[in-house]
Amino acid sequence: MTSTHAFWLAGRQATGDDTFDVTSPWDGRHVGTVAVPTDAQVEEAVAAAHAVRDEFAATPAHVRAAALDHVSRRLVERTEEIAQLITAENGKPIKWARGEVGRAVSVFRFAAEEARRYNGGEAQRLDTDAGGAGRLALTRRFPRGAVLGVAPFNFPLNLCAHKIAPAIAVGAPIILKPAPATPLSGLILGELLAETELPAGSWSVLPVANDKMPALVQDERLPVISFTGSDKVGFAIMDSVPRKHITLELGGNGAAVVLADYASEKDLDWAAARIATFSNYQGGQSCISVQRVIADASVYDRLVPKIVDAVAQQATGDPADAATDVGPLVSEDAARRVESWVDEAVQAGAKLLAGGSRDGASYAPTVLADVPADTTVACEEIFGPVLTLTRVEGEAEAFAAVNDSKYGLQAGVFTHDVQTAFRVHSALEVGGVIVGDVPSYRADQMPYGGAKQSGVGREGVRFAMEDYTYERVMVFTGLAL
């Protein structure tokens, strides 16, 4: 993992004039050197994607499905190698890295299945009014054009998969820009795609610097942009190209709500264990990690020590160790930011119940109570292993606390009551509600995205395919219906 990695230009390997190094956030060791595309090579990739768009859209479904199946199988065969690469470049504990590879396997498999059954067409009789006598509408979906997919560092393989796989499934060329901190996992997908028979130009993986993004965003030959990252950057993209079709999967500050009926010792043990695990997995660097715990006053005092104990049991350390639960953040700067936010909250009166210390890029799993509402950790996405605890009186106050946020990605609600679950579904201003568990659950085939400043559009293979395409209707006239 220390050689120079070529990038993928219109389906073939290429190198540019410059390189950059990828280092481990855990110990700073050199993981790999990556070749950087020149401006001319980026132009070549975009031109190729634009030129091949009609050919790729017309590619038989079985060809696209076979390519997706191939990538899925090859990910299985190389699981351990790729998991170790994710751990090396990202700092993600190896057990979570293996899980990420498994999810990417599923994403490509789901996309292959969808490619085979997608776009069969919907027929609609139009003779419901006299003027439509003998008329039949047939509606099909067609690619909008080439896609610019921008992936983040926190799931460097699976979130690249969520850009690439739906595009291939619908026959839309894609330019993938992996995160500069973690490009190697995305380049692995290029290796596997190169083993398929997809048309040249239908895909590229370009590890360009972030300052090259504006030119790609503005390029009219890339009419679709799928971005996962910060709300600041995402909405800046949308504002700069309002006439493009934009999908934004942005931040969150996921709430786990524990209601009064979730009150047995078994219930609270389960809730505490899930909250502790999923406030700290990936070092808290997940948009749907548990950031806020909102607990009914009737269970709060019994729940809090269970959460603190469960957090203390999270094993921290070397991410290559299979026993490690919590590794480093992606960089020391990221850990310093988390440290400063926690310090601000404590100075403002928050109670530190666990953690609160930094060692390089690692930040100890942290629990805060009585956090003032105007502090940064209460308002923003922490993106670190920190959770806050809030006591509420009753269901209505709990729901209001969840909604008192500019974000609305997912929420978890611990309740046994079905009627309450349906009230939750109606009341919470989020893209997804997980009943009986934390907000951190995501199945890669389900619609995934948020409300408010958590984004627009949906990922999840079939739902991304709809974002990459548009409906086109054809009307037949003079038919004997």
Side-chain angles (χ1 to χ4, degrees):
M1 292 189 287
T2 58
S3 60
T4 298
H5 298 259
F7 53 85
W8 295 92
L9 169 58
R12 71 179 193 277
Q13 281 190 308
T15 56
D17 297 334
D18 296 320
T19 62
F20 67 94
D21 291 333
V22 178
T23 58
S24 166
W26 168 247
D27 57 13
R29 70 184 173 88
H30 180 253
V31 179
T33 299
V34 176
V36 179
T38 65
D39 291 347
Q41 288 171 320
V42 172
E43 164 60 27
E44 183 181 349
V46 175
H50 182 69
V52 81
R53 66 193 188 284
D54 291 338
E55 176 190 348
F56 194 32
T59 301
H62 72 86
V63 173
R64 288 179 273 118
L68 293 161
D69 274 332
H70 174 84
V71 175
S72 182
R73 288 193 301 270
R74 293 286 284 135
L75 286 170
V76 172
E77 294 168 1
R78 297 177 62 177
T79 290
E80 189 60 24
E81 170 203 349
I82 297 171
Q84 290 182 18
L85 182 64
I86 292 171
T87 294
E89 69 171 345
N90 172 275
K92 180 175 300 192
I94 188 66
K95 70 176 184 179
W96 295 114
R98 290 170 180 146
E100 181 174 348
V101 179
R103 288 181 60 188
V105 168
S106 296
V107 167
F108 279 94
R109 187 181 75 249
F110 295 150
E113 294 166 356
E114 292 291 349
R116 291 186 174 96
R117 61 175 170 252
Y118 195 68
N119 208 8
E122 178 184 348
Q124 181 183 17
R125 291 179 67 133
L126 302 179
D127 60 354
T128 49
D129 290 310
R135 295 182 186 267
L136 181 79
L138 179 67
T139 302
R140 298 161 62 199
R141 299 191 73 89
F142 294 85
R144 297 176 183 274
V147 177
L148 172 61
V150 184
F153 71 81
N154 57 326
F155 289 86
L157 180 74
N158 195 42
L159 293 183
C160 288
H162 271 286
K163 309 301 182 189
I164 291 174
I168 292 173
V170 301
I174 182 164
I175 306 289
L176 176 74
K177 180 196 174 303
T182 57
L184 301 176
S185 301
L187 293 172
I188 285 280
L189 291 178
E191 288 184 35
L192 306 185
L193 288 168
E195 299 169 354
T196 72
E197 297 180 2
L198 294 175
S202 60
W203 59 273
S204 294
V205 182
L206 303 180
V208 295
N210 287 339
D211 62 7
K212 301 295 183 181
M213 272 279 292
L216 283 168
V217 166
Q218 293 290 334
D219 198 306
E220 293 182 358
R221 295 167 296 178
L222 301 172
V224 180
I225 299 174
S226 178
F227 172 86
T228 301
S230 73
D231 56 332
K232 180 180 178 181
V233 175
F235 285 116
I237 290 172
M238 177 172 281
D239 291 343
S240 72
V241 283
R243 291 178 178 81
K244 288 195 176 191
H245 189 84
I246 312 292
T247 298
L248 302 177
E249 198 281 281
L250 307 177
N253 55 359
V257 180
V258 184
L259 294 177
D261 71 297
Y262 216 82
S264 72
E265 291 302 312
K266 181 179 179 181
D267 286 342
L268 297 180
D269 285 343
W270 163 257
R274 298 294 285 177
I275 287 165
T277 296
F278 288 98
S279 63
N280 294 295
Y281 86 126
Q282 329 284 348
Q285 297 170 122
S286 168
C287 296
I288 48 176
S289 67
V290 181
Q291 178 169 325
R292 299 181 291 157
V293 177
I294 298 165
D296 190 89
S298 63
V299 299
Y300 183 90
D301 289 335
R302 292 162 56 215
L303 176 65
V304 169
K306 292 178 183 289
I307 290 175
V308 173
D309 288 346
V311 167
Q313 293 171 27
Q314 295 287 301
T316 61
D318 186 348
D321 186 338
T324 296
D325 298 309
V326 187
L329 276 69
V330 72
S331 68
E332 189 165 347
D333 284 345
R336 287 197 188 99
R337 176 189 55 77
V338 172
E339 179 182 41
S340 70
W341 287 11
V342 171
D343 289 348
E344 174 203 27
V346 171
Q347 290 167 12
K351 295 178 181 176
L352 182 66
L353 304 184
S357 62
R358 180 180 65 83
D359 182 7
S362 296
Y363 196 79
T366 297
V367 182
L368 296 169
D370 301 331
V371 178
D374 59 349
T375 57
T376 308
V377 294
C379 303
E380 299 294 336
E381 180 179 35
I382 297 173
F383 227 59
V386 179
L387 64 87
T388 66
L389 305 175
T390 301
R391 182 198 305 261
V392 294
E393 296 284 351
E395 180 183 295
E397 190 174 330
F399 295 171
V402 174
N403 290 338
D404 186 19
S405 171
K406 66 181 180 180
Y407 297 110
L409 190 48
Q410 291 197 164
V413 180
F414 290 89
T415 181
H416 295 295
D417 188 84
V418 173
Q419 294 291 346
T420 300
F422 275 88
R423 288 196 297 274
V424 166
H425 200 199
S426 298
L428 299 189
E429 299 166 354
V430 295
V433 177
I434 314 301
V435 177
D437 205 352
V438 291
S440 315
Y441 176 80
R442 178 184 179 183
D444 291 286
Q445 71 271 39
M446 78 184 197
Y448 177 76
K452 298 189 282 190
Q453 291 190 34
S454 286
V456 295
R458 291 295 181 266
E459 290 198 335
V461 175
R462 179 167 65 86
F463 304 92
M465 290 166 67
E466 292 179 0
D467 262 320
Y468 292 174
T469 57
Y470 70 99
E471 293 175 319
R472 186 185 300 166
V473 65
M474 176 170 59
V475 177
F476 291 94
T477 305
L479 299 181
L481 298 176

